[in-house]
């Protein structure tokens, strides 16, 4: 069997086009242009790159973006004051605080300072709590997990009653994606570094979400024939044949899995492009809600 490729680039382009259309309508009908404020503390080069990519993506769909940089030495009070100032601004509909924050800052307190209606990253403890509660609706869902669900929807995967296995239990990917799958009536198993007999657990999955951060850990014979595989992992490995000397691979051994799975996301070009697209969608929604 050769798995169908789930084309994250194409699906993300579709989401971005939907957002661009929504932005245009909001500007035309209500005179509101969505605005996203990106708060960057310290000088982590990867964080700078992510913020730059997010701001560029905003510009492409007509969302205004505002960048705020604080030094790594910024105090808790300074970071929270900036967030509170942004909560009060009418031209800022969404606030993203780029994580990780430098050591010494209380991440939970900073995320809690973001106004619930501007929490476009979906990391506010209240939004996360609502995600976990039956009958409650979070205002926003974190972008990467939301992107995984959209990929499954676009692939036409029936989640109700499916056995889903999530590898990883982080706050930003594993746990929220597991909660979203439960909301879609899947039967969910969450695995982590202490899980026993991992290959056997993975073999029970009709739907597998891998968010571990270990290059090509999931082997082809771990996968149930015909399963749908969403690979969130982005791991850089040496590759002397590549110009840069390295390349990106997922948490799944793609070359093996593609012969067993029914459908699979590539890395790169799977979940990655969805993350920014879903952030843009959340920002548009925040602006629509403000109207
Ligand atoms: P974290 O490091 O926060 O979490 C990793 C999770 O994997 C933990 O729950 C950990 O278990 C579990 N884990 C680690 N080793 C093993 C193992 N050997 N067996 C089973 N479980 C294990 O990572 P993130 O959730 O932030 O990210 C996961 C991956 O997704 C990374 O590669 C990251 O780069 C990528 N990513 C990609 C994004 C995208 O847009 N494409 C966005 C965000 C992340 P325990 O809890 O026990 O420690």
């Amino acid at each position: 069997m050769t798995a169908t490729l789930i084309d994250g680039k194409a699906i993300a382009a579709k989401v971005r086009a939907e957002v661009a259309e929504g932005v245009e309508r909001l500007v035309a009908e209500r005179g509101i242009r969505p605005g996203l404020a990106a708060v960057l503390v310290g000088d982590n080069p990867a964080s700078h790159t992510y913020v730059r990519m997010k701001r560029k993506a905003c510009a492409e769909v007509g969302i205004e973006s505002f960048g705020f940089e604080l030094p790594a030495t910024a105090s808790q009070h300074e970071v929270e004051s900036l967030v509170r100032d942004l909560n009060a601004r009418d031209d800022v509909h969404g606030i993203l605080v780029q994580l990780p924050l430098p050591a010494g800052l209380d991440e939970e307190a900073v995320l809690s300072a973001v106004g619930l209606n501007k929490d476009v990253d979906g990391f506010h403890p209240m939004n996360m709590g609502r995600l976990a509660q039956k009958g409650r609706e979070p205002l926003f869902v974190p972008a990467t997990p939301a992107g995984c669900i959209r990929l499954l929807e676009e692939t036409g995967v029936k989640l109700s009653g499916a056995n889903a296995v999530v590898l990883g239990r982080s706050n930003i990917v594993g746990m929220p994606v597991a909660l979203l799958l439960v909301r879609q009536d899947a039967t969910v198993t969450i695995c982590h570094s202490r899980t026993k007999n991992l290959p056997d657990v993975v073999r029970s999955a009709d739907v597998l979400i891998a968010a571990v951060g270990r290059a090509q850990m999931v082997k082809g014979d771990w996968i149930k024939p015909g399963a749908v595989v969403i690979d969130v992992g982005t791991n850089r490995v040496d590759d002397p044949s590549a110009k840069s000397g390295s390349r990106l691979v997922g948490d799944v051994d793609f070359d093996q899995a593609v012969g067993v799975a029914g459908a699979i996301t590539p890395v790169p070009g799977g979940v990655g492009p969805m993350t920014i697209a879903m952030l843009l969608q959340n920002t548009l929604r925040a602006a629509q809600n403000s109207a």
Side-chain angles (χ1 to χ4, degrees):
M1 181 194 288
T2 299
T4 305
L5 275 196
I6 303 174
D7 186 347
K9 268 194 211 158
I11 297 171
K14 183 172 163 187
V15 174
R16 286 181 191 222
E18 289 165 5
V19 172
E21 208 183 298
V23 168
E24 209 172 291
R25 205 172 320 123
L26 193 62
V27 173
E29 292 174 5
R30 310 296 298 259
I32 296 172
R33 180 167 300 281
L36 175 71
V39 176
L40 187 49
V41 188
D43 36 38
N44 178 332
S47 293
H48 277 262
T49 305
Y50 290 139
V51 166
R52 210 168 33 243
M53 284 164 62
K54 289 170 185 176
R55 295 195 62 194
K56 182 168 171 274
C58 281
E60 284 166 7
V61 296
I63 292 175
E64 183 137 18
S65 74
F66 310 93
F68 297 89
E69 291 186 22
L70 292 175
T73 51
S75 67
Q76 184 75 26
H77 175 75
E78 281 170 307
V79 181
E80 288 184 32
S81 303
L82 170 58
V83 169
R84 273 190 268 276
D85 289 347
L86 296 171
N87 283 337
R89 273 175 63 160
D90 289 338
D91 56 348
V92 170
H93 303 97
I95 301 169
L96 84 84
V97 178
Q98 187 63 43
L99 301 178
L101 290 171
L105 290 172
D106 178 344
E107 180 184 296
E108 190 183 355
V110 172
L111 295 178
S112 301
V114 175
L116 265 189
N117 54 342
K118 299 192 179 187
D119 178 37
V120 289
D121 261 340
F123 294 148
H124 190 293
M126 182 80 90
N127 274 324
M128 290 293 261
R130 285 182 184 171
L131 186 61
Q133 287 177 309
K134 196 169 174 178
R136 307 276 158 78
E137 290 302 325
L139 285 170
F140 301 99
V141 171
T144 303
C148 294
I149 299 296
R150 179 74 187 253
L151 289 173
L152 291 169
E153 284 169 358
E154 293 279 340
T155 310
V157 179
K158 186 170 179 281
L159 290 172
S160 179
N163 285 336
V165 171
V166 177
L167 301 184
R169 58 177 164 181
S170 72
N171 290 339
I172 63 166
V173 192
M175 191 56 75
V177 85
L179 294 170
L180 285 170
L181 288 165
V182 170
R183 283 177 168 257
Q184 301 275 343
D185 297 325
T187 303
V188 181
T189 306
I190 303 172
C191 301
H192 44 76
S193 63
R194 312 293 163 87
T195 299
K196 289 188 178 138
N197 303 326
L198 193 60
D200 283 343
V201 179
V202 173
R203 261 180 226 116
S204 70
D206 302 311
V207 174
L208 173 66
I209 314 272
V212 173
R214 303 241 182 268
Q216 299 170 316
M217 184 184 88
V218 178
K219 300 300 172 195
D221 63 0
W222 296 23
I223 293 168
K224 181 175 177 174
V228 177
V229 178
I230 304 290
D231 191 353
V232 185
T234 46
N235 311 288
R236 195 158 280 286
V237 294
D238 291 342
D239 181 357
S241 71
K243 220 173 170 185
S244 61
S246 68
R247 69 189 163 103
L248 279 187
V249 298
D251 291 341
V252 177
D253 188 323
F254 182 87
D255 292 341
Q256 292 184 9
V258 78
V260 188
I264 186 168
T265 56
V267 176
V271 176
M274 293 302 291
T275 296
I276 290 183
M278 302 314 279
L279 171 70
L280 300 174
Q281 191 182 68
N282 278 350
T283 306
L284 170 62
R285 189 171 306 140
Q288 287 167 334
N289 291 347
S290 80

